[in-house]
């Protein structure tokens, strides 16, 4: 076919990958499921009534007057309603006689270091922390930056803020002093809560020196509240106060005030692919409604018997919504793990599943592909028969990784729910329901009841089944971001300007012949090859479907003939040997799976891929390698040495045909 110039963006996104496998819900799960297929019809018939019913799961001190006030693109949910988020997450369960129920089984990284907090324990700890924050001058509406390891004091600090109505801004503990400072400044935080350090990869990893460096340039910060976790030496500054000095001596009684449903709950910064981080603002009533509803619906949570574990860091939205707010609002028992999956050995996750008899597991494709690479024999050593539902979030899950997860972790018995959402959406938007959906590996399937997502073409017209394009959300939803902190215009420009009257998340997607949704990655990553818009996700999935490949990343590199050409970086599975003809073998495999148009020009076998701290592949840096440019900004990489390892592989890069 004649090449078309790169930059022709009107071509629809290609729909190349065909998948025929289906996994029906287990009969027993379906028979007792929290949510049945009727929910879709109910929500479609009256969306607002559906969300009102979901809001009734919460305890309100004043009922709302108006369910939704929509002045596009600004939404207010449950207008006039009042509630306290911390009361909903903690106190009401104690008052209902469930104080002895475990809220968190916390597992430190050093073996044998664990702690159990019941809802009654959590109530006492949150009340003490609340009283301490009040003593430190924190009031409703103030911003509090939180920079902590995965220890129980992290959710306790968040809940104490929520109780007061102070706005927390949790900054992931892997961020640099510069990143922390810019976030403290943007939110104008007056208090920073941190720890001396946390355990990572078998040793204490300091946090306090980073805070010291950031706070030295933040005059607005009045105090730094420090938890002693590792016992590392810390330089005591004028602003520093120890958690054990100020929190431990407080009363464990505190009466929660009511806050407006639209009072802010938190800011969470998201960097996206480019530009200054955006402070995503979430409020209370709608956010808690949708996180609680979706946690119950998508995981089929049975609070009396389930043990739920989300492996994300609380520093990301997944941890906010599905370690802290959703599960606690539902009175669930959760596991929190401090460390990394390979410490002290590569079976650590499965050991934890076995120890706590975890029933619901929520993790990320990047972790799943790493486990695939490490080999099937590792999970096989553990008894994971307690598991009943598996979740995935953060990136498209390649069908092969999905099937591996289902078989090797879920014993071919547990439904896998691929959940699509974003920091901005606050809660899950598109996902199978484990008791309803006959799921397809790699597909997020359908918008949840009450959510109106669609795929549109360049002009904003809904694409037919079998078509690809841009994911959009047509109607406001309760846990949506309300704005970007301090920058309404950027909120409008970023999310509401691409398509008239629709929210644009920035992701490509397709509808298959049944109308089920497949996420295809960020539209910035789409490749234009000979006039075809090809998604990175589909080519990566094709590569991962080869038995020798554990993980793949593809990018479009400028090509004189085709506009862009596909360049692939692959990590082989533990058992596979690198051989001379592997590149040809994989190129042919992609051509066979997706068609000749998607055949990569180059395949490079690499030991690692560049990833952000939240585990997303940074294709921008791989594009630099593929186009022989000097490598761009690597400051957001989790491991900045990875790019050297990849560049070293370059001379062996083979360009064929
Ligand atoms: C972006 C949002 C949602 C919490 C963690 C990430 C990608 C997320 C999926 C999925 C395909 C996914 C999207 C989205 N993404 N989940 N199931 N399938 N892509 O939050 O850091 O705000 O990232 O992650 O590209 O836009 P985030």
């Amino acid at each position: 076919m004649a090449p078309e110039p790169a930059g022709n963006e009107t071509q629809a996104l290609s729909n190349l990958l065909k998948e025929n496998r289906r996994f029906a819900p287990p009969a027993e799960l379906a028979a007792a499921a929290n949510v049945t297929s009727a929910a879709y019809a109910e929500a479609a018939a009256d969306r607002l009534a559906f969300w009102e019913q979901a809001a009734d799961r919460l305890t309100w001190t004043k009922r709302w007057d108006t369910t939704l006030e929509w002045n596009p693109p600004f939404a207010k949910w449950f207008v006039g309603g009042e509630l306290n988020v911390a009361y909903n997450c903690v106190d009401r369960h104690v008052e209902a006689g469930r104080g002895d129920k475990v809220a968190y089984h916390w597992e430190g990284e050093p073996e044998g270091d664990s702690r159990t907090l019941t809802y009654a324990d959590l109530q006492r700890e949150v009340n003490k922390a609340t009283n301490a924050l009040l003593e430190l001058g924190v009031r409703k509406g103030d911003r509090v930056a939180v920079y902590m390891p995965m220890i129980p004091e992290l959710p306790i600090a968040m809940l104490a803020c929520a109780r007061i109505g102070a706005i927390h801004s949790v900054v992931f503990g892997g961020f640099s002093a510069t990143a922390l400072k810019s976030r403290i400044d943007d939110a104008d935080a007056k208090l920073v809560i941190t720890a001396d350090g946390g355990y990572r990869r078998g040793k204490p990893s300091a946090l306090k020196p980073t805070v010291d460096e950031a706070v030295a340039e933040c005059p607005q910060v009045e105090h730094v509240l420090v938890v002693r976790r590792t016992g590392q030496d810390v330089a005591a500054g004028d602003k520093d106060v120890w958690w054990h000095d100020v929190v431990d001596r407080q009363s464990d009684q505190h009466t929660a005030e009511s806050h407006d449903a639209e009072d802010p709950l938190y800011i969470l910064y998201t960097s996206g692919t480019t530009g200054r981080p955006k402070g995503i603002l979430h409020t209370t009533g709608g956010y808690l409604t949708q996180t609680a509803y979706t946690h119950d619906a998508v995981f089929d949570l049975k609070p009396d018997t389930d043990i739920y574990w989300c492996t994300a860091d609380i520093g990301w939205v997944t941890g906010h919504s599905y370690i802290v707010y959703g599960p606690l609002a539902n009175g669930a028992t959760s596991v929190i793990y401090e460390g990394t999956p390979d410490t002290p050995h590569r079976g650590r996750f499965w050991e934890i599943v076995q120890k706590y008899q975890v029933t619901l597991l929520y993790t990320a494709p990047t972790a799943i592909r790493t486990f695939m690479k490490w080999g099937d024999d590792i999970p096989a050593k553990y008894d994971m028969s307690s598991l009943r539902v598996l979740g995935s979030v953060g990136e498209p899950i390649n069908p092969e990784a999905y099937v591996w997860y289902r078989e090797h972790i879920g014993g071919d018995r547990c439904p896998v729910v691929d959940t699509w959402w974003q920091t901005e959406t606050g809660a899950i938007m598109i996902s199978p329901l484990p008791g309803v959906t006959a799921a397809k590996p790699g597909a997020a399937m359908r918008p949840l009841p009450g959510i109106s997502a669609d795929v549109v073409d360049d002009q904003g017209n809904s694409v037919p089944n079998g078509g690809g394009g841009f994911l959009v959300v047509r109607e406001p939803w309760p846990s949506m971001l309300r704005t970007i902190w301090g920058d309404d215009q950027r909120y409008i420009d970023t999310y509401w300007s691409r398509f008239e009257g629709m929210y644009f998340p920035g992701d490509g997607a397709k509808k298959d012949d049944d109308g089920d949704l497949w996420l295809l990655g960020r539209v910035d990553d789409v490749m234009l090859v000979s006039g075809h818009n090809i998604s990175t996700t589909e080519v990566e999935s094709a590569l991962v479907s080869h038995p020798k490949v554990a993980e793949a990343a593809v990018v479009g590199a400028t090509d004189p003939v085709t506009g862009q050409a596909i360049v692939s970086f692959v990590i082989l599975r533990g058992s596979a040997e690198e051989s001379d003809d592997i590149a040809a073998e994989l190129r042919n495999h992609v051509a066979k799976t997706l068609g000749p148009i998607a055949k990569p020009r180059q395949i490079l076998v690499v030991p690692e891929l560049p990833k952000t701290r939240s585990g997303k592949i940074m294709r921008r840096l791989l594009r630099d390698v593929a186009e022989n440019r000097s490598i761009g900004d690597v400051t957001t990489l989790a491991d900045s040495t990875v790019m050297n390892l990849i560049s070293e592989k370059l001379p062996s890069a083979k360009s064929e045909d």
Side-chain angles (χ1 to χ4, degrees):
M1 126 173 258
E4 283 185 30
N8 174 356
E9 306 296 350
T10 59
Q11 175 82 47
L13 196 51
S14 296
N15 182 344
L16 302 173
L17 189 74
K18 297 280 174 274
E19 174 60 65
N20 297 316
R21 291 170 286 192
R22 297 276 182 290
F23 298 107
E28 211 178 307
L29 196 156
N34 291 353
V35 179
T36 65
S37 62
Y40 292 103
E42 279 165 29
D46 191 340
R47 191 170 57 92
L48 295 184
F50 171 82
W51 284 120
E52 283 172 23
Q53 214 180 12
D56 277 328
R57 313 166 60 87
L58 306 180
T59 304
W60 297 78
T61 46
K62 177 169 174 285
R63 205 179 164 76
W64 59 91
D65 310 309
T66 312
T67 307
L68 170 67
E69 214 177 87
W70 181 222
N71 296 308
F74 297 97
K76 289 183 179 169
W77 282 86
F78 308 113
V79 183
E82 291 180 9
L83 76 171
N84 186 291
V85 167
Y87 174 86
N88 271 276
C89 288
V90 184
D91 306 53
R92 65 169 177 154
H93 304 308
V94 180
E95 287 172 16
R98 296 192 297 271
D100 291 339
K101 186 172 162 37
V102 174
Y104 290 127
H105 289 292
W106 175 79
E107 184 78 7
E109 195 189 78
E111 268 182 311
D113 188 4
S114 59
R115 216 174 131 185
T116 294
L117 283 115
T118 64
Y119 276 91
D121 295 332
L122 194 58
Q123 183 181 41
R124 285 187 287 270
E125 296 304 322
V126 171
N127 285 345
K128 285 195 285 181
T130 302
N131 289 324
L133 295 194
L134 289 169
E135 186 180 303
L136 292 172
V138 175
R139 296 291 177 268
K140 179 167 174 160
D142 288 345
R143 274 78 60 205
V144 175
V146 180
Y147 184 74
M148 290 175 86
M150 286 281 282
I151 54 177
E153 287 80 1
L154 172 50
I156 290 166
M158 293 162 75
L159 291 163
C161 289
R163 201 168 177 95
I164 295 172
I167 306 168
H168 60 70
S169 162
V170 180
V171 179
F172 173 63
F175 277 119
S176 67
T178 319
L180 176 60
K181 177 198 170 336
S182 71
R183 286 160 174 78
I184 293 173
D185 279 342
D186 188 82
D188 197 22
K190 69 192 284 192
L191 174 71
V192 180
I193 308 180
T194 187
D196 47 1
Y199 286 93
R200 283 198 82 71
R201 299 213 145 71
K203 45 180 196 294
S205 162
L207 286 175
K208 181 66 168 36
T210 311
V211 175
D212 293 343
E213 198 183 327
V215 168
E217 294 170 46
C218 296
Q220 74 278 25
V221 171
E222 294 169 12
H223 298 285
V224 177
L225 179 58
V226 190
V227 176
R228 184 145 72 203
R229 161 68 183 133
T230 58
Q232 287 162 289
D233 282 342
V234 298
D238 306 345
K239 298 178 178 180
D240 295 353
V241 283
W242 283 111
W243 179 285
H244 55 259
D245 284 340
V246 42
V247 177
D248 288 0
R249 64 175 158 77
Q250 303 290 333
S251 152
D252 62 11
Q253 303 293 308
H254 176 267
T255 308
E257 270 174 61
S258 303
H259 300 298
D260 191 276
E262 282 297 334
D263 278 341
L265 177 62
Y266 68 80
I267 303 168
L268 184 59
Y269 287 86
T270 173
S271 43
T273 41
T274 46
R276 192 164 49 88
K278 302 184 281 281
I280 303 302
L281 182 71
H282 285 292
T283 57
T284 61
Y287 174 81
L288 200 62
T289 295
Q290 195 175 330
T291 52
Y293 171 74
T294 52
H295 180 248
D296 176 275
V298 171
F299 292 97
D300 190 44
L301 174 82
K302 310 289 192 220
D304 291 338
T305 47
D306 275 319
I307 307 290
Y308 163 82
W309 181 23
C310 167
T311 69
D313 193 288
I314 294 177
W316 310 119
V317 74
T318 307
H320 281 56
S321 299
Y322 297 106
I323 296 178
V324 183
Y325 293 112
L328 292 179
N330 288 336
T333 295
S334 301
V335 172
I336 298 183
Y337 173 53
E338 178 186 33
T340 54
D342 53 356
T343 307
H345 57 80
R346 290 178 164 182
R348 188 70 195 267
F349 270 27
W350 320 126
E351 191 176 74
I352 293 173
V353 167
Q354 179 177 280
K355 173 173 175 183
Y356 292 106
Q357 302 275 289
V358 172
T359 58
L360 314 173
L361 179 69
Y362 196 21
T363 194
T366 179
I368 297 166
R369 291 186 304 249
T370 302
F371 300 135
M372 281 171 75
K373 182 172 72 185
W374 289 347
D376 308 351
D377 51 318
I378 297 173
K381 289 184 205 139
Y382 299 90
D383 175 9
M384 298 196 276
S385 57
S386 55
L387 287 169
R388 67 183 197 94
V389 179
L390 304 177
S392 170
V393 63
E395 278 187 300
I397 179 164
N398 319 108
E400 227 44 58
Y402 178 111
V403 169
W404 186 92
Y405 190 29
R406 205 188 131 87
E407 283 177 6
H408 295 277
I409 306 305
D412 223 355
R413 164 188 86 244
C414 310
V416 174
V417 288
D418 173 17
T419 65
W420 179 89
W421 59 295
Q422 307 178 292
T423 304
E424 292 87 338
T425 69
I428 300 171
M429 302 287 281
I430 308 177
S431 170
L433 289 174
V436 177
T437 316
K440 302 171 184 174
M445 303 299 291
R446 297 275 163 146
L448 288 179
I451 300 297
S452 52
D454 195 5
V455 182
V456 299
D457 66 17
D458 204 42
Q459 303 303 307
N461 302 311
S462 188
V463 305
N465 290 355
F470 304 90
L471 182 70
V472 294
V473 186
R474 293 185 181 280
E475 302 285 350
W477 61 99
S479 65
M480 67 188 271
L481 77 166
R482 298 305 194 254
T483 189
I484 292 175
W485 179 255
D487 201 345
D488 285 349
Q489 192 57 48
R490 193 171 179 206
Y491 166 70
I492 297 168
D493 295 345
T494 309
Y495 305 108
W496 298 93
S497 299
R498 180 70 182 78
F499 300 106
E500 176 77 36
M502 297 179 228
Y503 173 82
F504 176 46
D507 284 5
K510 69 178 190 185
K511 289 183 198 166
D512 66 16
D513 294 339
D514 306 320
D516 293 322
L517 300 180
W518 296 69
L519 275 300
L520 297 178
R522 306 294 298 171
V523 293
D524 314 326
D525 290 333
V526 168
M527 304 172 289
L528 188 65
V529 182
S530 300
H532 294 264
N533 278 319
I534 298 180
S535 90
T536 51
T537 302
E538 290 203 321
V539 182
E540 288 163 4
S541 291
L543 285 163
V544 176
S545 76
H546 190 284
K548 289 185 183 162
V549 177
E551 184 150 29
V554 313
V555 297
T558 308
D559 184 276
V561 179
T562 55
Q564 283 189 318
I566 301 175
V567 178
S568 316
F569 299 79
V570 300
I571 298 179
L572 299 181
R573 288 219 201 183
S575 53
E577 295 282 318
E578 189 174 349
S579 64
D580 286 348
D581 43 15
I582 184 92
E585 191 178 330
L586 295 180
R587 292 173 70 246
N588 291 334
H589 176 75
V590 174
K592 213 170 67 201
T593 315
L594 300 179
I597 185 70
K599 188 171 179 171
R601 181 184 75 187
Q602 263 173 298
I603 306 250
L604 285 104
V605 176
V606 293
E608 281 302 337
L609 290 170
K611 290 186 186 158
T612 62
R613 292 180 176 81
S614 62
K616 291 191 211 289
I617 297 169
M618 288 187 71
R619 293 180 186 75
R620 170 171 67 74
L621 297 176
L622 295 173
R623 244 175 340 251
D624 292 341
V625 173
E627 297 188 333
N628 272 315
R629 270 196 303 274
S630 59
I631 291 162
D633 184 7
V634 294
T635 51
T636 50
L637 273 184
D639 174 358
S640 58
T641 61
V642 164
M643 289 315 293
N644 303 336
L645 294 175
I646 294 172
S647 302
E648 279 166 18
K649 284 276 170 177
L650 248 197
S652 66
K654 291 204 190 77
S655 177
E656 283 146 73
D657 289 6

